[in-house]
mmCIF file of all heavy atoms in Angstrom:
data_model
loop_
_atom_site.group_PDB
_atom_site.id
_atom_site.type_symbol
_atom_site.label_atom_id
_atom_site.label_comp_id
_atom_site.label_asym_id
_atom_site.label_seq_id
_atom_site.Cartn_x
_atom_site.Cartn_y
_atom_site.Cartn_z
ATOM 1 N N ILE V 30 3.976 1.424 -0.751
ATOM 2 C CA ILE V 30 4.796 1.478 -2.071
ATOM 3 C C ILE V 30 3.925 2.041 -3.168
ATOM 4 O O ILE V 30 4.298 2.888 -3.932
ATOM 5 C CB ILE V 30 5.265 0.020 -2.399
ATOM 6 C CG1 ILE V 30 6.316 -0.385 -1.428
ATOM 7 C CG2 ILE V 30 5.786 -0.011 -3.845
ATOM 8 C CD1 ILE V 30 6.722 -1.775 -1.416
ATOM 9 N N PHE V 31 2.700 1.535 -3.167
ATOM 10 C CA PHE V 31 1.739 2.040 -4.232
ATOM 11 C C PHE V 31 1.545 3.506 -4.131
ATOM 12 O O PHE V 31 1.603 4.280 -5.132
ATOM 13 C CB PHE V 31 0.449 1.310 -4.056
ATOM 14 C CG PHE V 31 -0.568 1.749 -5.097
ATOM 15 C CD1 PHE V 31 -0.393 1.460 -6.453
ATOM 16 C CD2 PHE V 31 -1.797 2.287 -4.746
ATOM 17 C CE1 PHE V 31 -1.293 1.753 -7.380
ATOM 18 C CE2 PHE V 31 -2.678 2.609 -5.690
ATOM 19 C CZ PHE V 31 -2.475 2.391 -7.004
ATOM 20 N N PHE V 32 1.414 4.024 -2.889
ATOM 21 C CA PHE V 32 1.240 5.446 -2.713
ATOM 22 C C PHE V 32 2.443 6.258 -3.132
ATOM 23 O O PHE V 32 2.333 7.304 -3.830
ATOM 24 C CB PHE V 32 1.065 5.713 -1.139
ATOM 25 C CG PHE V 32 0.728 7.068 -0.816
ATOM 26 C CD1 PHE V 32 -0.488 7.666 -1.131
ATOM 27 C CD2 PHE V 32 1.645 7.890 -0.061
ATOM 28 C CE1 PHE V 32 -0.808 8.948 -0.807
ATOM 29 C CE2 PHE V 32 1.336 9.154 0.303
ATOM 30 C CZ PHE V 32 0.132 9.704 -0.088
ATOM 31 N N PHE V 33 3.626 5.849 -2.785
ATOM 32 C CA PHE V 33 4.811 6.522 -3.322
ATOM 33 C C PHE V 33 4.959 6.523 -4.801
ATOM 34 O O PHE V 33 5.376 7.502 -5.385
ATOM 35 C CB PHE V 33 6.072 5.720 -2.693
ATOM 36 C CG PHE V 33 6.591 6.437 -1.511
ATOM 37 C CD1 PHE V 33 6.177 5.901 -0.291
ATOM 38 C CD2 PHE V 33 7.370 7.525 -1.559
ATOM 39 C CE1 PHE V 33 6.587 6.573 0.894
ATOM 40 C CE2 PHE V 33 7.786 8.201 -0.362
ATOM 41 C CZ PHE V 33 7.467 7.664 0.798
ATOM 42 N N TYR V 34 4.483 5.428 -5.372
ATOM 43 C CA TYR V 34 4.582 5.284 -6.820
ATOM 44 C C TYR V 34 3.672 6.353 -7.435
ATOM 45 O O TYR V 34 4.201 7.083 -8.416
ATOM 46 C CB TYR V 34 4.060 3.925 -7.235
ATOM 47 C CG TYR V 34 4.181 3.571 -8.592
ATOM 48 C CD1 TYR V 34 5.437 3.651 -9.242
ATOM 49 C CD2 TYR V 34 3.115 3.000 -9.385
ATOM 50 C CE1 TYR V 34 5.596 3.242 -10.512
ATOM 51 C CE2 TYR V 34 3.288 2.635 -10.679
ATOM 52 C CZ TYR V 34 4.547 2.772 -11.220
ATOM 53 O OH TYR V 34 4.697 2.426 -12.562
ATOM 54 N N ILE V 35 2.589 6.656 -6.917
ATOM 55 C CA ILE V 35 1.708 7.714 -7.442
ATOM 56 C C ILE V 35 2.362 9.077 -7.255
ATOM 57 O O ILE V 35 2.338 9.886 -8.174
ATOM 58 C CB ILE V 35 0.297 7.651 -6.658
ATOM 59 C CG1 ILE V 35 -0.458 6.464 -7.131
ATOM 60 C CG2 ILE V 35 -0.495 8.959 -6.996
ATOM 61 C CD1 ILE V 35 -1.772 6.261 -6.515
ATOM 62 N N ILE V 36 2.954 9.277 -6.126
ATOM 63 C CA ILE V 36 3.603 10.581 -5.917
ATOM 64 C C ILE V 36 4.742 10.778 -6.927
ATOM 65 O O ILE V 36 4.821 11.850 -7.523
ATOM 66 C CB ILE V 36 4.201 10.692 -4.434
ATOM 67 C CG1 ILE V 36 2.992 10.846 -3.447
ATOM 68 C CG2 ILE V 36 5.097 11.848 -4.371
ATOM 69 C CD1 ILE V 36 3.445 10.966 -2.089
ATOM 70 N N ILE V 37 5.489 9.740 -7.087
ATOM 71 C CA ILE V 37 6.629 9.864 -8.063
ATOM 72 C C ILE V 37 6.076 10.124 -9.448
ATOM 73 O O ILE V 37 6.561 11.027 -10.145
ATOM 74 C CB ILE V 37 7.489 8.571 -8.035
ATOM 75 C CG1 ILE V 37 8.274 8.533 -6.702
ATOM 76 C CG2 ILE V 37 8.484 8.611 -9.228
ATOM 77 C CD1 ILE V 37 8.919 7.244 -6.463
ATOM 78 N N ILE V 38 5.089 9.490 -9.843
ATOM 79 C CA ILE V 38 4.431 9.741 -11.197
ATOM 80 C C ILE V 38 4.048 11.125 -11.272
ATOM 81 O O ILE V 38 4.298 11.857 -12.208
ATOM 82 C CB ILE V 38 3.327 8.729 -11.459
ATOM 83 C CG1 ILE V 38 3.884 7.409 -11.713
ATOM 84 C CG2 ILE V 38 2.512 9.231 -12.667
ATOM 85 C CD1 ILE V 38 2.787 6.319 -11.956
ATOM 86 N N SER V 39 3.327 11.626 -10.202
ATOM 87 C CA SER V 39 2.727 12.985 -10.384
ATOM 88 C C SER V 39 3.844 14.021 -10.323
ATOM 89 O O SER V 39 3.799 14.989 -11.027
ATOM 90 C CB SER V 39 1.666 13.314 -9.364
ATOM 91 O OG SER V 39 2.019 12.788 -8.102
ATOM 92 N N ILE V 40 4.857 13.813 -9.465
ATOM 93 C CA ILE V 40 6.017 14.747 -9.516
ATOM 94 C C ILE V 40 6.599 14.755 -10.875
ATOM 95 O O ILE V 40 6.935 15.833 -11.459
ATOM 96 C CB ILE V 40 7.047 14.380 -8.425
ATOM 97 C CG1 ILE V 40 6.486 14.740 -7.062
ATOM 98 C CG2 ILE V 40 8.320 15.234 -8.653
ATOM 99 C CD1 ILE V 40 7.420 14.311 -5.908
ATOM 100 N N GLY V 41 6.814 13.573 -11.487
ATOM 101 C CA GLY V 41 7.361 13.423 -12.756
ATOM 102 C C GLY V 41 6.596 14.276 -13.825
ATOM 103 O O GLY V 41 7.251 14.944 -14.638
ATOM 104 N N SER V 42 5.317 14.356 -13.761
ATOM 105 C CA SER V 42 4.562 15.032 -14.782
ATOM 106 C C SER V 42 4.556 16.528 -14.494
ATOM 107 O O SER V 42 4.351 17.404 -15.334
ATOM 108 C CB SER V 42 3.172 14.459 -14.988
ATOM 109 O OG SER V 42 2.447 14.544 -13.756
ATOM 110 N N ILE V 43 4.679 16.967 -13.181
ATOM 111 C CA ILE V 43 4.690 18.339 -12.928
ATOM 112 C C ILE V 43 6.048 18.993 -13.351
ATOM 113 O O ILE V 43 6.070 19.956 -14.036
ATOM 114 C CB ILE V 43 4.502 18.603 -11.372
ATOM 115 C CG1 ILE V 43 3.107 18.189 -11.076
ATOM 116 C CG2 ILE V 43 4.763 20.062 -11.001
ATOM 117 C CD1 ILE V 43 2.841 18.072 -9.498
ATOM 118 N N LYS V 44 7.086 18.234 -13.006
ATOM 119 C CA LYS V 44 8.414 18.799 -13.322
ATOM 120 C C LYS V 44 8.724 18.498 -14.777
ATOM 121 O O LYS V 44 9.697 17.659 -15.134
ATOM 122 C CB LYS V 44 9.496 18.194 -12.432
ATOM 123 C CG LYS V 44 9.487 18.730 -11.063
ATOM 124 C CD LYS V 44 10.359 17.954 -10.088
ATOM 125 C CE LYS V 44 11.772 18.203 -10.433
ATOM 126 N NZ LYS V 44 12.723 17.452 -9.534
ATOM 127 N N CYS V 45 7.981 19.029 -15.697
ATOM 128 C CA CYS V 45 8.033 18.589 -17.063
ATOM 129 C C CYS V 45 9.308 19.119 -17.752
ATOM 130 O O CYS V 45 9.629 18.677 -18.873
ATOM 131 C CB CYS V 45 6.836 18.873 -17.884
ATOM 132 S SG CYS V 45 6.520 20.645 -17.955
#
Side-chain angles (χ1 to χ4, degrees):
I30 290 171
F31 183 61
F32 185 68
F33 264 97
Y34 189 50
I35 288 176
I36 287 181
I37 289 167
I38 287 178
S39 43
I40 288 174
S42 60
I43 291 164
K44 287 171 68 182
C45 62

